[in-house]
Amino acid sequence: MEPRIFLSPPHMGGNEATYVSQAFESNWIAPLGPFVDRFERELSEYLGGLGVCALSSGTAALHLALLALGIGPGDRVYCSDFTFSASCNVIKYCGAEPVFIDSDFDSWQMDPALLAEQLETDEALGKLPKAVIVVDLYGIAANHDAIEKICDRYGIPIVEDSAEALGSRRNGRLCGTFGTVSAFSFNGNKIITTSGGGALVSRDPKIVERAHFLATQAREKRPYYHHTTIGYNYRLSNLLAAVGCGQLEVLDDRVEKRRAIFARYVEYLADIEGISFMPEPDGAASNKWLTVVQIDPKVIRQSPEDIRLALESENIESRWVWKPMHMQPVFEGLDFVGGNVCRTIFERGLCLPSGSALTKAQQMRICDAIRKAVRI
């Protein structure tokens, strides 16, 4: 059996071990410390000066984003339907109710037209949402220009879920810089990693200050432990921040490598009718976190699951795309706006191995296995 090819494994750059050793030598093993400060500073510089709060996960960042915006029980929050469950789980953490918005086929991101229609409807009913969570899915920036104009009309803040999109751009502007408040993930499968970690970012210093406060158990500035608010243990550790500092140094290289991997997939699979790729709209420059294909059932007999199993038999990991939130049993009965776009993409979609250390030989092995599977 050939060595296993994973979907999106971590890829170290070289300095991570050095920085972790420095953290050990300085005895900054407890949460927080110099590398957390450095990681926040360097991520801020990369994002053009936004305030940063380094956290234990991207989910923590989304949760604190909603809390900082005052979301609570009884509130409604719109959310992209096509996403990982963390994007909307945090709405329930706050006691609020999600409303799921379908995607468009041109980008697979939240459909601005549906958003505008639903806001108009809810305004007439007197039940406008308190926020809109917009996901930059699989590294493709949502249509933020259109969405921002729509939300500004109603004074509704945007939470940009850029967990998968660090290094991606739209019209030259980096993902994570569009929302009122935004979130990144540095989980082990992301384009750069701190093993487990995330960050909340915002231009509003009050939001960032609130996030820092809530993430450190909401401890008041007194010489003893004093609490007037429920807080959370959400801060990133100094050791993991040391890994993040090394990873930030190679971020641009990782984006370049993943884009090259995507381009090779397009080239190597061009002869297979019935396979298409996730679209990259005009103005978008994706980090290509994952290469995602669609399998046309009118052309190819094998389903995405058939192909996934065929790849697995060759010791190659692939994965279905995210199952839309309105189809999840845990969210059954909640409001969904749209048609069958997300459902159709889910039923036809497959994520291919996309790690930035993937070699050309490994990629040829993947493509040969796909070619063999669809011609059975």
Side-chain angles (χ1 to χ4, degrees):
M1 179 69 71
E2 293 275 4
R4 186 159 179 77
I5 298 175
F6 292 96
L7 187 73
S8 182
H11 186 188
M12 296 295 99
N15 283 331
E16 294 87 352
T18 299
Y19 297 153
V20 170
S21 294
Q22 290 175 7
F24 269 99
E25 290 166 4
S26 67
N27 204 35
W28 279 104
I29 308 303
L32 303 182
F35 277 109
V36 175
D37 296 338
R38 173 177 168 179
F39 184 65
E40 289 181 339
R41 182 176 66 253
E42 292 179 354
L43 182 57
S44 174
E45 290 170 357
Y46 180 80
L47 296 171
L50 270 65
V52 175
C53 179
L55 298 164
S56 57
S57 68
T59 306
L62 289 168
H63 186 200
L64 293 182
L66 294 186
L67 292 175
L69 293 173
I71 306 301
D75 292 336
R76 286 158 59 87
V77 177
Y78 291 3
C79 182
S80 299
D81 185 52
F82 195 20
T83 185
F84 177 56
S85 62
S87 303
C88 48
N89 283 345
V90 296
I91 302 172
K92 299 298 285 186
Y93 294 175
C94 297
E97 289 297 310
V99 176
F100 301 117
I101 308 292
D102 205 352
S103 298
D104 59 49
F105 278 122
D106 293 337
S107 68
W108 297 9
Q109 314 298 317
M110 180 184 285
D111 187 334
L114 290 176
L115 172 65
E117 290 172 11
Q118 190 61 30
L119 285 172
E120 184 177 355
T121 298
D122 279 354
E123 182 186 39
L125 296 173
K127 55 177 188 177
L128 282 171
K130 291 293 183 68
V132 175
I133 299 176
V134 181
V135 180
D136 297 321
L137 187 76
Y138 292 125
I140 295 283
N143 189 348
H144 289 290
D145 289 341
I147 290 171
E148 185 176 30
K149 289 178 182 176
I150 293 164
C151 289
D152 281 351
R153 195 179 307 152
Y154 299 91
I156 297 171
I158 295 170
V159 176
E160 184 185 359
D161 182 351
S162 286
E164 304 166 358
L166 183 64
S168 297
R169 299 173 185 266
R170 186 153 189 144
N171 298 324
R173 188 171 164 186
L174 283 164
C175 284
T177 67
F178 292 95
T180 308
V181 56
S182 304
F184 291 109
S185 170
F186 305 116
N187 191 29
N189 64 356
K190 296 302 187 290
I191 193 158
I192 65 168
T193 183
T194 57
S195 177
L200 175 148
V201 303
S202 179
R203 284 190 179 78
D204 187 338
K206 292 183 179 179
I207 289 177
V208 179
E209 181 182 3
R210 184 66 174 171
H212 277 93
F213 172 69
L214 293 173
T216 49
Q217 298 289 18
R219 180 187 175 186
E220 303 283 345
K221 292 181 179 180
R222 301 194 186 194
Y224 49 87
Y225 286 88
H226 185 81
H227 306 273
T228 59
T229 302
I230 296 296
Y232 305 87
N233 184 17
Y234 276 174
R235 288 292 260 146
L236 186 66
S237 84
N238 196 57
L239 285 178
L240 298 188
V243 176
C245 289
Q247 288 277 280
L248 274 175
E249 293 174 353
V250 296
L251 172 57
D252 289 341
D253 173 77
R254 299 301 184 254
V255 172
E256 182 180 340
K257 281 184 166 56
R258 295 215 186 205
R259 288 187 64 83
I261 287 164
F262 172 83
R264 285 199 296 271
Y265 273 127
V266 173
E267 177 186 354
Y268 294 166
L269 298 176
D271 63 321
I272 304 179
E273 186 179 358
I275 290 182
S276 60
F277 292 83
M278 183 177 183
E280 189 169 31
D282 290 344
S286 171
N287 64 7
K288 299 299 181 185
W289 172 56
L290 292 181
T291 291
V292 187
V293 295
Q294 288 272 280
I295 310 300
D296 188 342
K298 296 179 181 178
V299 180
I300 295 177
R301 295 197 315 272
Q302 286 71 37
S303 68
E305 178 64 359
D306 292 330
I307 297 172
R308 188 191 71 79
L309 291 173
L311 290 170
E312 187 61 39
S313 72
E314 301 282 347
N315 210 18
I316 297 168
E317 183 184 21
S318 60
R319 189 174 296 170
W320 284 68
V321 298
W322 302 127
K323 184 177 182 179
M325 292 300 100
H326 82 278
M327 296 173 63
Q328 300 286 353
V330 71
F331 297 124
E332 186 176 1
L334 295 179
D335 289 346
F336 167 66
V337 181
N340 291 314
V341 175
C342 292
R343 179 187 289 270
T344 300
I345 296 170
F346 167 66
E347 291 171 348
R348 299 180 180 184
L350 191 67
C351 302
L352 301 182
S354 305
S356 50
L358 190 71
T359 67
K360 291 183 180 180
Q362 288 175 318
Q363 205 167 354
M364 284 298 297
R365 180 181 145 202
I366 296 163
C367 294
D368 287 345
I370 292 172
R371 190 171 287 106
K372 177 182 174 183
V374 300
R375 290 179 177 169
I376 291 174

